[in-house]
Amino acid sequence: MSTVDSKTVDALNWVAPKRDPGALGRLMDNKMFLVCVCLFPALGLLIVFLTYPLGLGIYLAFTDTQIGHAGEWVGLENFESLFQDRIFLNAVWWTVAYTFFATILKFGLGLWLALLLNHHVPFKSLIRAIILLPYIVPTVLSAIAFWWIYDPQFSIISYVLVDKLHWMEHYIDFLGTPWNARWSLIAANVWRGIPFVAITLLAGLQTISPSLYEAAMLDGASPWQRFRFVTRPLLMPILAIVMTFSVLFTFTDFQLVYAITRGGPINATHLMATLAFQRGIPGSHLGEGAAIAVAMIPFLILATVFSYFALGRRKWQQGSDND
Amino acid sequence: MTDTAAALPEDTVTDNEITSVLSSESRLRRIVTIYLPLAVFIIVLLFPFYWMGITTFKPDAELLDYKHNNPFWISSPTFQNIRKLLFDTDYPRWLWTTMLVAFGATFLSLLSSVLAAYALERLRFKGSGYVGLGIYMAYLVPPSILFIPLATVVFQMGLFDTPWALILTYPTFLIPFCTWLLIGYFKSIPYELEECALIDGASRLQILRRITLPLAVPGLISAGIFAFTLSWNEFIYALAFISSSENKTVPVAILTELVQGDVYQWGALMAGSLLGSLPVAIFYSFFVEYYVSSLTGAVKE
């Protein structure tokens, strides 16, 4: 008894109230029944509102369902027409490009920020709290702020570049031409994504034992070599997981594009998700919208498989004491 | 707090290395390589909020005239935009709906997640690994591919255009995350405590309520904050499942109700964005440490 801690003593002193175990009580102590009761709310909600709609979505993709009009099975017709559809093909290309560029920039800058924060800086936890703000605030609301920053006439960026610094002649038409709009969206996405990447990678950096750096320094490793041979391999597993999630959510992004450009100018910035929404809900072609959404699934599976192998590798690196 | 402690020794190492060079040069180098980039990062990350705030309190005359006013400052601040927002629009109502939906969805998700995590972690049963993996996989299904079929499901259930459509569908992306977070917390509670209680004749539910849950309070807070901010920020379901103005949530309402015509009311839009961001920002500021630990813990798991 002398070795138990205070919590255990509390638990030991606690006396079960005298009770008459009724039928319900005995049922509750049946483990299998209890398991079912405990899992019911979570699994119930997930099956009704996630698994079933996922299956239904795949079914809808093969029908010509419209809002208020039950559809019929049309086979691959939706997909055949989509692959002839320049707007859809452009959306697929742009979704991939958007994910690619935004991810590279997010991870480059996020890793840099994480490395900066890993130094000894004053007010570290305050800075960390401030940095997460873009991630906390509703995306649509910060997107509206970006929309205002990208205003063709009153953009503050144009004002600084043209009127203050005199680096440029004319105000930038941020959202008026396809490429300007695309880079503007990528910039907004990177702005929103940096905090998540930086904070999670910082957590990864802090798990790396300082003695490894000491050993490397004793062996005469330069800062770059220390990053290359100590930080990088030990950060890789967490980097892979964070990147999988980041890619997954950038690829299926909807809010930023919907709020800032609504797919314009001339459908140049439609992501697959915004196009699916536009065709499916306001356009009322549910079948076609579902087909566009289903077309995203192969890409998502690729990302998940990547995640699975990254997790597997992490377990292997840590040895068997992980679980 | 343990992570800052862990970071310290390493910093002293780099500091020693730097002080071994000329001290004045190293100081300059430190400013250029660390503080300067850090300051640029912070300014860029915060600027949109500053711009949001300053636009909110600008009168229209200043807002659209950069020639005679410094756009970075306000010479005559006004509450006109906020007053207009609160009294001429349904904004208070939207805020209330958002709050209701966020609390409802958070409560429902926490309840389901606690029970599910307890069953998966403590009542080990055959196949619990597969159920856990299934719940984890649910996290990888993004709302963007679900909203169209889910809209038809919601419509068939008669929930379309009611707050219930959101309260019941938000848990689909909250439960997986919360469950995994709570499993991690339950793991850290010694199983012996429960065995003792079991020997003393406590039932499983009593154990959960009196022993496991009180010890998992930090985990519950983390999961709750996370669920609350995610539900507050949710957009696509709220856009697709709600059609009448008075049932809209703040993010959707600002974009669909306040943006009308070709001339945008930037003052009112920014005021709406600022007021819509403040509740989560305040809520977050009280629980930063929990938030950071849940964010990083979920990735490390």
Side-chain angles (χ1 to χ4, degrees):
Chain A
M1 274 309 237
S2 59
T3 55
V4 290
D5 59 30
S6 62
K7 279 169 185 164
T8 320
V9 171
D10 285 347
L12 286 176
N13 291 340
W14 180 73
V15 180
K18 290 264 182 285
R19 66 205 158 89
D20 175 32
L24 191 67
R26 258 177 282 128
L27 204 53
M28 279 300 181
D29 274 344
N30 178 332
K31 195 162 151 187
M32 220 44 233
F33 177 78
L34 194 61
V35 165
C36 293
V37 169
C38 284
L39 285 178
F40 176 75
L43 289 188
L45 279 168
L46 287 178
I47 287 168
V48 174
F49 293 109
L50 193 121
T51 316
Y52 169 63
L54 192 62
L56 184 67
I58 295 172
Y59 166 76
L60 282 178
F62 296 96
T63 67
D64 60 354
T65 311
Q66 297 189 12
I67 288 179
H69 166 79
E72 283 174 18
W73 182 267
V74 292
L76 288 170
E77 212 170 88
N78 283 330
F79 292 98
E80 279 163 11
S81 70
L82 280 177
F83 280 107
Q84 313 276 323
D85 183 348
R86 291 180 61 93
I87 296 176
F88 171 74
L89 293 178
N90 184 61
V92 173
W93 167 82
W94 164 235
T95 310
V96 173
Y98 175 76
T99 311
F100 180 77
F101 287 115
T103 306
I104 286 188
L105 288 170
K106 251 186 274 194
F107 277 80
L109 294 170
L111 181 61
W112 187 17
L113 183 55
L115 288 170
L116 290 175
L117 285 174
N118 202 28
H119 285 278
H120 186 60
V121 287
F123 307 112
K124 192 170 182 166
S125 50
L126 179 71
I127 294 178
R128 202 167 57 167
I130 288 175
I131 278 173
L132 262 178
L133 265 183
Y135 183 72
I136 308 299
V137 164
T139 309
V140 170
L141 304 184
S142 50
I144 294 173
F146 268 93
W147 190 19
W148 171 220
I149 289 173
Y150 291 150
D151 190 89
Q153 277 179 297
F154 300 103
S155 165
I156 189 68
I157 301 176
S158 296
Y159 169 80
V160 170
L161 291 179
V162 177
D163 294 336
K164 285 283 151 192
L165 299 171
H166 302 290
W167 285 359
M168 299 175 88
E169 291 290 310
H170 303 289
Y171 272 35
I172 306 165
D173 191 5
F174 283 103
L175 304 175
T177 67
W179 275 106
N180 280 357
R182 286 176 186 141
W183 285 113
S184 305
L185 287 173
I186 289 177
N189 184 284
V190 170
W191 175 85
R192 194 194 174 270
I194 284 176
F196 175 73
V197 176
I199 298 299
T200 46
L201 290 188
L202 177 63
L205 286 175
Q206 286 173 339
T207 58
I208 300 175
S209 163
S211 58
L212 292 173
Y213 290 102
E214 273 171 55
M217 268 166 71
L218 284 176
D219 288 344
S222 68
W224 166 249
Q225 282 174 321
R226 267 178 278 152
F227 176 76
R228 170 76 179 72
F229 295 107
V230 180
T231 314
R232 198 192 60 105
L234 288 172
L235 201 58
M236 222 41 202
I238 202 167
L239 189 85
I241 298 165
V242 177
M243 193 175 277
T244 311
F245 278 103
S246 171
V247 166
L248 210 67
F249 289 110
T250 312
F251 194 86
T252 57
D253 195 9
F254 175 86
Q255 313 191 17
L256 270 178
V257 173
Y258 188 81
I260 298 179
T261 66
R262 301 234 175 161
I266 45 170
N267 296 319
T269 59
H270 258 309
L271 293 174
M272 288 166 86
T274 53
L275 191 66
F277 178 81
Q278 205 202 15
R279 299 269 168 93
I281 309 278
S284 79
H285 289 277
L286 288 174
E288 200 185 339
I292 298 173
V294 165
M296 288 196 266
I297 294 178
F299 295 97
L300 300 181
I301 289 176
L302 269 178
T304 315
V305 168
F306 181 68
S307 156
Y308 181 79
F309 283 109
L311 280 167
R313 211 175 118 192
R314 181 176 160 77
K315 286 238 167 80
W316 164 77
Q317 279 186 336
Q318 283 193 330
S320 54
D321 59 335
N322 192 30
D323 219 284
Chain B
M1 283 296 96
T2 49
D3 45 16
T4 41
L8 273 174
E10 183 203 336
D11 291 322
T12 43
V13 169
T14 43
D15 282 350
N16 284 340
E17 179 209 24
I18 287 168
T19 42
S20 69
V21 196
L22 280 172
S23 69
S24 64
E25 189 203 341
S26 75
R27 200 185 176 84
L28 186 72
R29 203 175 110 186
R30 212 174 144 77
I31 288 174
V32 172
T33 57
I34 298 173
Y35 294 117
L36 193 69
L38 200 57
V40 172
F41 267 115
I42 293 174
I43 290 171
V44 170
L45 289 177
L46 289 187
F47 179 74
F49 299 117
Y50 172 73
W51 198 230
M52 203 190 259
I54 210 158
T55 310
T56 302
F57 297 106
K58 264 187 193 176
D60 281 351
E62 268 183 67
L63 192 65
L64 303 178
D65 182 8
Y66 289 175
K67 293 277 180 287
H68 303 100
N69 301 290
N70 176 6
F72 287 103
W73 201 239
I74 324 170
S75 30
S76 47
T78 169
F79 280 95
Q80 194 194 339
N81 290 319
I82 288 181
R83 197 188 309 134
K84 194 175 145 197
L85 193 74
L86 291 181
F87 297 107
D88 296 352
T89 66
D90 275 341
Y91 199 83
R93 172 108 206 214
W94 299 330
L95 264 182
W96 169 245
T97 311
T98 317
M99 198 87 80
L100 184 81
V101 167
F103 274 115
T106 304
F107 176 75
L108 195 59
S109 314
L110 273 188
L111 186 72
S112 323
S113 304
V114 163
L115 291 174
Y118 185 72
L120 290 175
E121 172 57 25
R122 282 301 199 245
L123 310 170
R124 296 184 178 277
F125 58 97
K126 222 176 180 179
S128 59
Y130 292 106
V131 177
L133 189 67
I135 291 180
Y136 175 71
M137 295 301 274
Y139 193 57
L140 300 175
V141 181
S144 303
I145 64 173
L146 284 179
F147 70 95
I148 289 176
L150 206 49
T152 65
V153 172
V154 161
F155 195 79
Q156 278 163 5
M157 290 182 159
L159 301 172
F160 193 77
D161 204 16
T162 66
W164 283 107
L166 305 182
I167 294 175
L168 289 173
T169 51
Y170 285 2
T172 54
F173 57 86
L174 301 176
I175 289 176
F177 182 84
C178 294
T179 306
W180 275 89
L181 198 73
L182 288 170
I183 285 179
Y185 269 92
F186 285 167
K187 253 185 207 159
S188 68
I189 300 168
Y191 192 56
E192 290 75 14
L193 284 180
E194 296 192 12
E195 284 175 334
C196 291
L198 214 53
I199 290 168
D200 284 349
S203 75
R204 296 268 186 184
L205 284 182
Q206 277 174 320
I207 295 172
L208 175 64
R209 195 159 61 90
R210 307 221 179 180
I211 294 173
T212 315
L213 275 190
L215 290 173
V217 164
L220 285 176
I221 296 178
S222 302
I225 296 160
F226 226 91
F228 182 82
T229 47
L230 281 178
S231 349
W232 188 281
N233 298 357
E234 207 286 330
F235 181 72
I236 190 165
Y237 287 170
L239 181 70
F241 305 158
I242 303 292
S243 62
S244 58
S245 169
E246 69 267 20
N247 284 335
K248 283 180 176 167
T249 60
V250 169
V252 175
I254 289 180
L255 208 58
T256 55
E257 301 286 320
L258 291 185
V259 179
Q260 280 158 349
D262 287 338
V263 181
Y264 303 125
Q265 303 285 326
W266 287 115
L269 274 175
M270 290 295 109
S273 305
L274 188 71
L275 287 188
S277 309
L278 274 183
V280 262
I282 293 168
F283 196 69
Y284 159 76
S285 68
F286 284 123
F287 300 103
V288 182
E289 284 307 319
Y290 288 106
Y291 197 92
V292 173
S293 73
S294 65
L295 189 66
T296 54
V299 178
K300 276 192 232 163
E301 247 331 290

